[in-house]
Amino acid sequence: MDTTKEHALDKKAGPSAQTAIVMEVNNVTKVFDSAAGRVLALRGINISIRKGEFVAIVGPSGSGKSTLLNIIGALDKPSSGRVYINGIDVFALSDSEMATMRNHLIGFIFQSYNLINRTTVLKNVELPGVLSDMGSDERRRRAEKLLEVLGIGDKAGFKPVNLSGGQQQRVAIARSLMNDPAIILADEPTGNLDTATGKEVFDLLKMLSSKFRRTIIMVTHNPELAEACDRAIYIRDGRVEKEVINN
Ligand code: ADP
Ligand code: MG
């Protein structure tokens, strides 16, 4: 399997790369069977995402946004349908191939940061590098650099719990970048932040998109943020309701 990264953090991709399709979601459905009954969370989703695009996924609570993001990121499997990342049929891979692909190609950012509070900010950022067998020196250097790029270089030795929400989300963004992923998935990354701090976090993602050509898929409830993305995909009742291309 080819998980070759096509660009380093410090390099820009060429113009032709901008039109390449990095992800295709084909007819994806997801059914949850639980004690409460059967839920059709996704009812046939089709989405195509170009390399370097910054896409917002918008929709009411319970419409299937997180379910979709988890499937796109290979954290959960669809009930039917396919997801292709760089042309690879993700759910045709073995579990270990899938884990390798996820670890090298995809960075995750969550609403509640999901940081480990008993260890330092630096160790949190280093973690994906541990999982990908990066050497300890390189890991440390890279984590320190990412924290600096994100404006929290002075917080490396702190425990996450002692930082503000905005600072914690910056740590989570740094962590998501540790393995230089081509794709960043963010599930309501500004959902726990006040408007001004949320805007700062959003601007960092925007910078990753424009300056470093990352592909970013972000779930948000905030219409202003959705309008500031390249494209907004509106989800309702497990279906794509509409797509809006912004300028
Ligand atoms: P959103 O992120 O848009 O708020 P979700 O993707 O979390 O929506 O949920 C979509 C639907 O699927 C909801 O009805 C939710 O209750 C249901 N759902 C999500 N995860 C599970 C699960 N693990 N088990 C059962 N139902 C679930
Ligand atoms: Mg959700």
Side-chain angles (χ1 to χ4, degrees):
M1 184 195 39
D2 182 14
T3 56
T4 315
K5 285 182 291 296
E6 287 158 305
H7 41 222
L9 190 58
D10 336 271
K11 270 192 283 174
K12 281 193 188 183
S16 64
Q18 290 175 27
T19 53
I21 299 294
V22 71
M23 179 178 296
E24 284 219 46
V25 179
N26 281 356
N27 266 314
V28 161
T29 72
K30 181 70 179 180
V31 181
F32 290 109
D33 278 309
S34 66
R38 166 167 277 222
V39 178
L40 289 168
L42 299 177
R43 300 168 185 249
I45 298 271
N46 290 292
I47 293 174
S48 189
I49 292 173
R50 286 190 302 280
K51 188 169 172 181
E53 240 191 323
F54 191 167
V55 176
I57 296 185
V58 194
S61 186
S63 57
K65 305 181 298 294
S66 294
T67 303
L68 176 60
L69 211 68
N70 289 344
I71 289 173
I72 284 175
L75 290 173
D76 198 2
K77 295 185 179 183
S79 301
S80 68
R82 291 181 194 278
V83 175
Y84 297 92
I85 297 179
N86 288 339
I88 295 169
D89 184 349
V90 175
F91 296 102
L93 300 174
S94 69
D95 285 353
S96 76
E97 285 175 326
M98 206 183 293
T100 303
M101 188 208 66
R102 186 168 52 225
N103 197 34
H104 285 85
L105 226 51
I106 301 175
F108 292 93
I109 303 166
F110 301 93
Q111 176 172 2
S112 49
Y113 326 125
N114 292 14
L115 300 170
I116 299 167
N117 277 316
R118 68 190 137 72
T119 186
T120 62
V121 161
L122 187 68
K123 292 282 181 204
N124 269 275
V125 177
E126 283 188 36
L127 190 61
V130 176
L131 297 176
S132 66
D133 291 327
M134 197 183 283
S136 60
D137 286 352
E138 188 193 351
R139 220 163 60 206
R140 192 190 172 93
R141 252 198 326 273
R142 190 166 164 77
E144 284 171 347
K145 182 171 170 214
L146 285 168
L147 287 170
E148 246 163 63
V149 169
L150 290 164
I152 46 170
D154 57 333
K155 303 290 189 249
F158 284 57
K159 298 271 167 69
V161 72
N162 294 322
L163 306 186
S164 70
Q167 290 166 340
Q168 290 188 58
Q169 196 58 301
R170 284 166 191 251
V171 176
I173 295 173
R175 180 184 58 186
S176 80
L177 295 171
M178 188 63 193
N179 289 338
D180 198 18
I183 301 168
I184 295 162
L185 303 180
D187 196 349
E188 305 201 38
T190 66
N192 283 0
L193 304 173
D194 64 73
T195 309
T197 311
K199 181 69 169 52
E200 283 171 24
V201 163
F202 176 77
D203 287 343
L204 285 170
L205 294 176
K206 198 79 182 147
M207 184 271 289
L208 292 175
S209 161
S210 59
K211 199 166 164 207
F212 297 114
R213 288 261 158 247
R214 298 297 119 146
T215 304
I216 304 180
I217 305 173
M218 176 188 73
V219 172
T220 182
H221 272 300
N222 184 327
E224 275 171 46
L225 298 187
E227 283 166 21
C229 292
D230 298 327
R231 180 158 55 121
I233 300 174
Y234 291 81
I235 306 278
R236 181 176 287 273
D237 297 331
R239 290 194 180 89
V240 175
E241 183 184 35
K242 60 173 178 173
E243 296 193 33
V244 177
I245 295 172
N246 302 311
N247 294 310

